[in-house]
Amino acid sequence: MKRSWAELTEWLDHRTGIQTAIRQFLYEEIPASSGWHQVFGSVAIFLFLTQAFTGVLLAFNYAPTPGDAYNSLRYILTELTGGRLIRGLHHWGASMMIVIVVLHMVQVLLYGAYKKPRETTWLVGVVLLVVTLAYGLTGYLLPWDNRAYWGTVVTTRIAGLAPVLGPYIQRLMGSGGGSVGVVTFARFYGLHVLLLPPATLILIGLHVYLVRKHGVAPAAGDEVLPNQQFYPRQAFRDTVAIFIAFAVLFLMAVLVRVPLEQLADPTDTSYVPRPEWYLLFLFQTLKLFSGPLEVVGAVVLPGLAMLALVLVPFIDRSQMVKVTRRTVAMAFVTLGVIGWTGLTAAAVMSTPKEATAVAVDYSAPTDWMQLSPEEMAGVAYFRQENCVSCHVVGEHGNKVGPDLTRITIHKDAAWMIQHFKRPSAMMPGSAMPPIQLSDVQLNSLAAFLLKLNPNNATALDNAPEFATQGALVYQANHCGACHLVNGVGMKIGPPLNGLAKRQSRSWVEDHFADPQKLSPGSIMPPYKLSPKDMEALTSYLFALPD
Amino acid sequence: MQVIDSRREGSTRRSFYIGAIYGIWAAIAASLTLPAFAYLLFPPKARREDEWVEVGDVTKLAPDTPVEMSFRRNRVDGWKITSEKSTAWVVKHSDNTVTAFGPQCTHLGCAYHWDERKTEFLCPCHNSLFAVDGRVVSGPAPRPLDRYETKIEGKKLLLGRLREGDKA
């Protein structure tokens, strides 16, 4: 076995030279000072390959048109095994990529590794940074939810501010006049999956070729020490760093849910767009400039920063010195970190509360939205009475009592109400305690249970707290006596589905207090709701499907 | 220039490095490829219960004479639900029970039809013949015609899921 393996590799090496090539790659000589600080480049390449892998997997179930993109992503998240994990890896991988690329550049900057003859290696690296940001920019639009749409509207408007070139850049992005539509989407998708990946491969190839050509940058004092070999010691360090990065990424993908917002709605004027966390500093910078100076914050400063990066190896041409003596580089990096942190913190603090509160997570099934207010109130009673301490619903519950999703155990509402009041009378031998609720409340509970089946149990179990609490307020105030929700109720007042489209939150809240003031001629009586009830009811109404 | 040959480095340390490299890469590869296989190979979670579709009035059917009835049904196609026209060959038996066959030949999926002279279902593609109960009479068809689940409510015929005909 061992012999035939050796024969095979020898045969292959003779024809392809692969073994020799690998050996040359692994036993590359690196300076004695090489160590843990040089692992970031390898981690960046690993992350790029992971992004390519998860990206291809996403593309296998993704329809790249604005009409279908959102639905196909929801399909990936809610119906495919592992879909949420794959999307999480791709989403957080993009963020991590930025972090690692920046760390890589900081290391090179601190050590002065860009100095003669490695200027071109640095320049290719700067282009790779731009490419990485371009992935983030184009990928941001692809879920086609509100966040994606409005974020891209802002980006294209900023691009339009560029002096002279602005309108042309916008036209290239497929968004003449700053509007975002099908053409923009097609361009961004084409860039993200067709143009950028091969460009990245070529640039990485060039970058690595240059690193190999000039060798890993030595530190001062390396001349007198013997070189070491890349394999296995430095390869081990790179592998450990990659493993740490991967473990963090994997945990993020499993634990931190990437939300999917509502389908992109170009008419939703109340939406406050926010960029990705790593670009918040730019967003904050932009706020410092207004009117005719806006172009400074939007284009001039970022442009100058890129120019400064390009010029670094041509400005700093001194001899290689120990990293601890590179005080100017350290000062620049420190200033950069402080500036970035300060601006980002300011942006986070100035974020209005509504902009961060994602009312509804569309990356999970949202069947609960279709429930009538009465059924939704039933969900509240179901939770209040802690029915899951004995019954299984969706992913929660104990198996003491029967599985309530089994349709066969659902009788009619009248039977169920009698059973709730005196369980053992209707079901001899039942150990269930009587439920202490009023008839109206029991009716609600029965209505919800009649809706349960094995397919929607998890989805109904997902109903957020504000929706069930809001439905309780809705029921308690008999809103259904005049209004229609999900086809249930009366048509004396306007139907409440799509309210979020028609009115702002503050309008609705003021309207409860004095309906005639805001809509003269209305016959709706005023309601004095506690702040908590008001919050729950308005959130509930605003989360109703259109 | 002098080089420290890593192949001559302390052998325990060297084998630890190599072992760790292989182990870590194996772990990374497994945690990426296993979810990928699950993602690509596991069927999507079902979204809706199968609905019963109303097809028509059973009282109008003549006994033992297949009739092709058409209806519209919702089909879940990935992330889309499409309403599409579908047909079934419906046979009412003398005891008033009803069988509804899927409209495709079990050989290669051609549309077959009822041959009134032969009183058999004939597939024009490769001449498969099926009896009125769906049995294969001759030709390359590997199994009997597929059947819909059926339910009769009053006069109305309702069709459910299409089930594969058994080989027996």
Side-chain angles (χ1 to χ4, degrees):
Chain A
M1 183 67 201
K2 204 159 188 180
R3 209 183 126 213
S4 55
W5 174 250
E7 270 170 20
L8 181 70
T9 50
E10 198 194 313
W11 184 90
L12 203 62
D13 190 45
H14 197 68
R15 270 121 194 119
T16 61
I18 183 118
Q19 216 177 8
T20 320
I22 292 175
R23 210 166 275 156
Q24 258 180 15
F25 179 77
L26 289 180
Y27 293 109
E28 182 201 0
E29 286 177 27
I30 53 174
S33 63
S34 296
W36 286 102
H37 58 281
Q38 276 151 340
V39 297
F40 298 111
S42 302
V43 179
I45 292 180
F46 168 76
L47 284 175
F48 169 71
L49 295 175
T50 313
Q51 287 301 90
F53 182 71
T54 51
V56 167
L57 286 176
L58 288 174
F60 279 172
N61 284 301
Y62 174 77
T65 63
D68 279 335
Y70 181 82
N71 287 335
S72 56
L73 180 56
R74 270 203 79 180
Y75 167 78
I76 292 173
L77 295 173
T78 59
E79 284 167 54
L80 294 181
T81 312
R84 189 180 288 285
L85 175 69
I86 304 284
R87 197 238 176 168
L89 286 172
H90 200 71
H91 178 94
W92 295 120
S95 279
M96 189 166 241
M97 186 82 182
I98 305 271
V99 173
I100 295 297
V101 164
V102 169
L103 285 178
H104 184 45
M105 291 188 93
V106 165
Q107 183 267 319
V108 172
L109 204 64
L110 282 178
Y111 282 76
Y114 46 72
K115 286 182 185 174
K116 185 186 165 188
R118 298 183 176 81
E119 296 95 330
T120 48
T121 321
W122 170 264
L123 289 181
V124 175
V126 173
V127 178
L128 276 167
L129 171 71
V130 175
V131 168
T132 310
L133 292 172
Y135 276 115
L137 175 84
T138 51
Y140 200 74
L141 181 62
L142 302 183
W144 200 254
D145 59 357
N146 248 345
R147 190 173 106 102
Y149 177 84
W150 290 103
T152 306
V153 167
V154 175
T155 318
T156 53
R157 296 261 163 93
I158 289 175
L161 290 175
V164 189
L165 293 176
Y168 300 102
I169 299 175
Q170 267 189 348
R171 217 168 294 161
L172 266 181
M173 290 169 123
S175 82
S179 69
V180 171
V182 285
V183 181
T184 326
F185 189 94
R187 302 266 163 109
F188 276 38
Y189 180 75
L191 277 172
H192 195 82
V193 307
L194 288 177
L195 189 67
L196 293 178
T200 317
L201 280 179
I202 292 171
L203 287 165
I204 290 178
L206 194 58
H207 197 66
V208 172
Y209 160 77
L210 289 168
V211 171
R212 297 294 310 241
K213 179 176 164 61
H214 300 302
V216 171
D222 269 343
E223 324 64 78
V224 295
L225 294 167
N227 276 348
Q228 48 173 335
Q229 284 175 329
F230 175 73
Y231 187 82
R233 203 156 152 211
Q234 186 65 24
F236 165 77
R237 292 187 183 119
D238 284 7
T239 304
V240 169
I242 286 170
F243 180 72
I244 293 170
F246 181 73
V248 172
L249 174 59
F250 202 87
L251 283 178
M252 296 267 289
V254 171
L255 299 177
V256 190
R257 185 175 265 220
V258 186
L260 180 67
E261 293 188 2
Q262 213 175 333
L263 175 67
D265 178 6
T267 62
D268 183 355
T269 46
S270 64
Y271 193 82
V272 184
R274 294 264 134 175
E276 265 306 22
W277 64 270
Y278 49 82
L279 291 179
L280 277 175
F281 76 102
L282 276 179
F283 165 86
Q284 191 66 18
T285 312
L286 197 53
K287 283 197 207 161
L288 302 175
F289 300 90
S290 59
L293 284 178
E294 201 178 16
V295 65
V296 176
V299 186
V300 177
L301 281 184
L304 284 177
M306 286 317 287
L307 187 67
L309 279 183
V310 168
L311 291 179
V312 159
F314 305 103
I315 295 168
D316 174 22
R317 298 164 67 176
S318 55
Q319 283 294 310
M320 231 13 161
V321 289
K322 270 215 162 90
V323 62
T324 44
R325 290 176 56 198
R326 289 182 50 80
T327 42
V328 179
M330 275 192 233
F332 267 108
V333 169
T334 316
L335 275 180
V337 171
I338 291 174
W340 182 88
T341 316
L343 287 167
T344 305
V348 170
M349 284 191 288
S350 68
T351 303
K353 221 178 129 215
E354 303 95 87
T356 48
V358 178
V360 179
D361 182 8
Y362 286 84
S363 72
T366 48
D367 300 30
W368 56 267
M369 282 187 171
Q370 309 299 332
L371 291 178
S372 73
E374 186 184 28
E375 291 156 356
M376 187 65 92
V379 179
Y381 297 127
F382 189 80
R383 291 183 185 168
Q384 188 187 308
E385 296 299 315
N386 202 16
C387 302
V388 289
S389 60
C390 295
H391 296 284
V392 179
V393 167
E395 286 155 8
H396 303 109
N398 296 314
K399 284 183 181 164
V400 180
D403 180 352
L404 296 178
T405 60
R406 274 186 8 240
I407 304 157
T408 45
I409 68 161
H410 297 167
K411 310 256 160 80
D412 55 89
W415 184 93
M416 287 170 91
I417 290 170
Q418 288 310 313
H419 175 59
F420 293 151
K421 287 181 177 168
R422 290 195 302 135
S424 54
M426 303 303 283
M427 282 275 226
S430 168
M432 178 166 138
I435 304 176
Q436 310 287 348
L437 290 173
S438 73
D439 277 6
V440 179
Q441 292 168 330
L442 289 176
N443 229 329
S444 225
L445 185 57
F448 160 62
L449 290 176
L450 287 170
K451 265 281 155 77
L452 262 185
N453 67 48
N455 292 329
N456 66 15
T458 315
L460 296 183
D461 198 29
N462 278 339
E465 200 64 25
F466 71 76
T468 59
Q469 293 308 312
L472 284 181
V473 181
Y474 186 93
Q475 289 298 95
N477 290 290
H478 305 289
C479 306
C482 293
H483 292 282
L484 200 62
V485 162
N486 291 341
V488 180
M490 302 299 282
K491 288 183 181 167
I492 299 167
L496 297 174
N497 289 73
L499 181 66
K501 284 266 164 62
R502 304 194 295 268
Q503 303 295 354
S504 72
R505 226 183 144 107
S506 57
W507 187 95
V508 171
E509 286 176 359
D510 294 344
H511 189 268
F512 279 123
D514 190 357
Q516 282 69 33
K517 192 174 150 202
L518 290 163
S519 35
S522 165
I523 56 162
M524 175 160 154
Y527 287 90
K528 283 203 176 62
L529 299 169
S530 72
K532 205 177 132 220
D533 285 0
M534 176 77 88
E535 165 83 28
L537 181 56
T538 343
S539 298
Y540 170 58
L541 294 177
F542 271 60
L544 290 173
D546 295 335
Chain B
M1 178 172 253
Q2 204 190 340
V3 181
I4 296 176
D5 189 340
S6 68
R7 275 162 285 198
R8 273 184 278 137
E9 218 171 323
S11 73
T12 20
R13 176 179 285 191
R14 185 181 149 84
S15 51
F16 165 73
Y17 286 152
I18 294 174
I21 290 171
Y22 280 94
I24 288 175
W25 281 108
I28 291 175
S31 32
L32 280 175
T33 49
L34 294 181
F37 276 116
Y39 171 80
L40 293 175
L41 297 176
F42 287 13
K45 291 165 200 150
R47 260 187 298 188
R48 299 189 198 305
E49 278 177 288
D50 288 296
E51 300 157 2
W52 289 91
V53 192
E54 191 183 321
V55 180
D57 189 345
V58 266
T59 53
K60 288 184 185 153
L61 298 175
D64 292 319
T65 313
V67 178
E68 187 169 25
M69 298 176 96
S70 62
F71 54 95
R72 295 200 74 86
R73 75 182 314 162
N74 289 335
R75 191 166 63 94
V76 176
D77 177 12
W79 47 88
K80 282 188 162 172
I81 296 174
T82 43
S83 165
E84 59 180 18
K85 190 181 163 252
S86 190
T87 63
W89 282 94
V90 181
V91 192
K92 186 160 93 171
H93 307 290
S94 39
D95 60 352
N96 264 331
T97 57
V98 168
T99 312
F101 298 110
Q104 291 179 316
C105 174
T106 53
H107 176 219
L108 293 172
C110 291
Y112 60 84
H113 60 263
W114 176 248
D115 189 319
E116 285 186 5
R117 275 181 304 127
K118 287 188 186 157
T119 63
E120 272 162 352
F121 291 109
L122 167 69
C123 175
C125 290
H126 304 93
N127 292 322
S128 288
L129 279 173
F130 302 90
V132 72
D133 60 357
R135 230 171 354 101
V136 181
V137 177
S138 67
R143 56 187 162 82
L145 292 171
D146 300 334
R147 294 170 179 225
Y148 287 100
E149 290 173 341
T150 57
K151 193 157 87 173
I152 296 174
E153 275 178 11
K155 290 178 178 178
K156 286 179 292 182
L157 171 63
L158 302 176
L159 296 188
R161 218 182 302 182
L162 186 62
R163 294 207 182 272
E164 256 187 23
D166 293 326
K167 262 193 182 141

